[in-house]
Amino acid sequence: MSAAEHQPTEPSPLPNLASSSEALETDAANKYEAVCPHWFYCKVVDSRERWIPFSGQDSEKLENAHKSSKYCDELVVPTEGGRYDVHLKKRLRYAVYWEEDESEVRRCTWFYKGDKDNRYIPYPESFSEELEDTYMICVTLDEWKKKLESPTREIIILHNPKLMVHYHPVTTTDDWGASPTEQGRPRTVKRGVENISAEIPNGEPLQIDHLVFVVHGIGPACDIRFRSIVQCVNDFRNVSLSMLPAHFKNAQEQQQIGRVEFLPVNWHSTLHTGVDVDLERITLPSINRLRHFINDTILDVFFYNSSTYCQTIVDTVASEMNRIYLLFLERNPDFKGGVSIAGHSLGSLILFDLLTNQKCTSDGEEDKNEESQISATGQEGIGSVTDILTELELSEYCSVFEKENVDRQALALCTEKELKDMGIPLGPRMKILHYLRNKSNNQNSKGQTPAAAGEGGNVKQEVPVKPTNAETSCRRLDVVTGQVSANYPQLIYKPEIFFAFGSPIGMFLTVRGVKRIDPNYSLPTCKGFFNVFHPFDPVAYRIEPMIVPDVEFDPMLLPHHKGRKRMHLELKEGLTRMSMDLKNNLLGSLRTAWQSFTRTSLPAVEAGATGDTEQVLEAEASSEKQTDGKLEEPTTPVKEESAPVNVGMLNGGHRIDYVLQEKPIESFNEYLFALQGHLCYWESEDTVLLLLKEIYQTMGIGMDQPLP
């Protein structure tokens, strides 16, 4: 055989190279990578279920706990800054500090698009695992167009890695025998959270610098969208987290600050637990929705002015803040920060009345006095729990208190809600509470409590406990005049600052008969007080004119969070100055014309009278000076605004009233945006920035660039 005949039988190197490159591409294309799961929870919004992703920080924490929880059935993971706990075994999410319906939690890998919106819905975990196994086989073998049927008889077809669709099951019998793939519009299927348009929130800093309790006003709804106090405080907290990197970036980079925690305090549900039934019996059937709205909201003002329900409200607010504070310390043992309180609308009045009735102690013996007051209440004034129940003919409930480990000190701190939670019926509850109040009032009458409640203006202490400077700083003066007669409970901490949003405190004090607040008065246990309001808020009233009634001055204008006045306000001020200048120029021209006219007529009337002419010229000069002074009067109030005003010690000598800047659209019609003005504080960056500025100022931390 010749060489020419043997050569074609040898393998060519080019086809081998081509086939090897195709094999490498196929291997690369068929390389399977496991999907990265992300954790979601289900929340009902507007009567519809919506799946919301946890933050990346919480999802990673849940995933790590999931991998290590195979041998632990009761593993609970705190999420969302410690405000919610997730029970991994039950796949449920619980609220920690307030009552809220539990929500389902899922470890999500596969999603399909909803039929009514563009939101993606996660598949159940078991079916997601089945989808993932099928996807792995398709990728590995490069065999697609796989069909799966979900437990709800829905059809999912994997055409290729980029095209996967979901079909609804057939709801009616089809005589033509059409397959499920021909029924309805297909919906997109996505693998992995990175392939869907989900806004994954940023994690919150672990360090908590300060705690703020937020008390709501009338009704269960707190904003124009009829959302609860929990949802509104969530918005307030989110705004604060967005303000920190914008205005405290240097402190964050130096790890000087973490975040401020805001926790809601709900008293409305406790108040309306039993009274709604009584109101329903006497409510007329006409205009049902309006009457129901009035019963649920506006009547809260009348409830607070009733001694019976005022006691329920203040007990609920104080006990809730104390309970949440102790629970917060239990869950955050390293917390060393301070506490402040904020109230919206009627909630600010409730907090103001509570703060004016707090007992003041000197800083050196604060802890000892608190313990001695509790001891005096629990031991000297009140006998043992068994003796009390025997005296009240309620000895059959002794076992209930023994089971809950309630001693005489704990009994003295119990509220109606706590007794109800223990299973004590209404009648025995009223007997116990009446007994405790009588004992407390007897102690107050003996002079053991320096802040005894009274109906009059000034409170005189016949037997002062400590003749120190604390007496002068704790004087309540006339701010308690007209307060509803109630036994105001004590807080177990000293708030550093009290913030009032859209507050009617000034109006209620005036209606109660308080004409003036003494400039030397300050809240017994709280150093700071800020009254923040929108200029169109119909419920808000000022405080400073009650301290300085003889001086007229404007409230402090809160600067815009971006560092200047809003454009329309600057334009309005510019137009005002321009109109004033035009007015002055016009009057000046008229005055000049009149002077020229009078000067020509005077010599004709009094010709030859030299002495009289000199007197006339002097009169004209004096009249010109007086006219000039009158024309300059409109500009003097602008200069007076910058002058410092002494507004007393209610806020430590600093200004109290702060007004927000209205938005451009709000300036067109004040009445149209009046309701919005009362409910705008939850999403107001300017309000949140004021809180952060004042809170961190107590820690010696300032903003990156102080606002004007």
Side-chain angles (χ1 to χ4, degrees), residues 188-318:
T188 306
V189 176
K190 293 292 184 180
R191 174 179 177 266
V193 69
E194 64 275 3
N195 293 320
I196 65 174
S197 57
E199 296 182 3
I200 300 178
N202 298 324
E204 301 179 11
L206 299 178
Q207 176 185 338
I208 300 177
D209 305 319
H210 203 87
L211 177 63
V212 180
F213 293 113
V214 184
V215 180
H216 65 86
I218 62 173
C222 297
D223 69 349
I224 200 70
R225 289 175 283 178
F226 297 96
R227 297 185 303 168
S228 66
I229 179 64
V230 174
Q231 295 171 302
C232 291
V233 173
N234 286 343
D235 279 351
F236 204 82
R237 186 187 307 108
N238 292 335
V239 174
S240 72
L241 292 175
S242 66
M243 289 288 104
L244 289 176
H247 297 277
F248 295 89
K249 184 177 181 180
N250 295 334
Q252 276 191 331
E253 292 177 348
Q254 299 173 7
Q255 297 183 349
Q256 293 179 337
I257 64 173
R259 65 183 177 91
V260 177
E261 180 62 283
F262 298 89
L263 296 179
V265 177
N266 186 358
W267 54 266
H268 180 269
S269 57
T270 303
L271 172 65
H272 286 260
T273 299
V275 73
D276 283 352
V277 179
D278 299 332
L279 287 174
E280 190 67 27
R281 289 198 296 263
I282 61 175
T283 302
L284 300 180
S286 59
I287 52 176
N288 183 46
R289 291 186 179 181
L290 178 59
R291 295 184 190 277
H292 178 73
F293 173 79
I294 294 175
N295 290 346
D296 213 23
T297 56
I298 300 178
L299 285 189
D300 288 348
V301 179
F302 298 97
F303 283 138
Y304 187 67
N305 285 297
S306 164
S307 59
T308 302
Y309 294 106
C310 176
Q311 187 68 59
T312 301
I313 293 174
V314 295
D315 283 345
T316 302
V317 171

Side-chain angles (χ1 to χ4, degrees), residues 6 54 81 140 176 241 271 390 426 441 564:
H6 181 72
F54 284 97
T140 305
W176 295 93
L241 292 175
L271 172 65
T390 303
L426 178 61
N441 291 334
R564 58 177 297 171

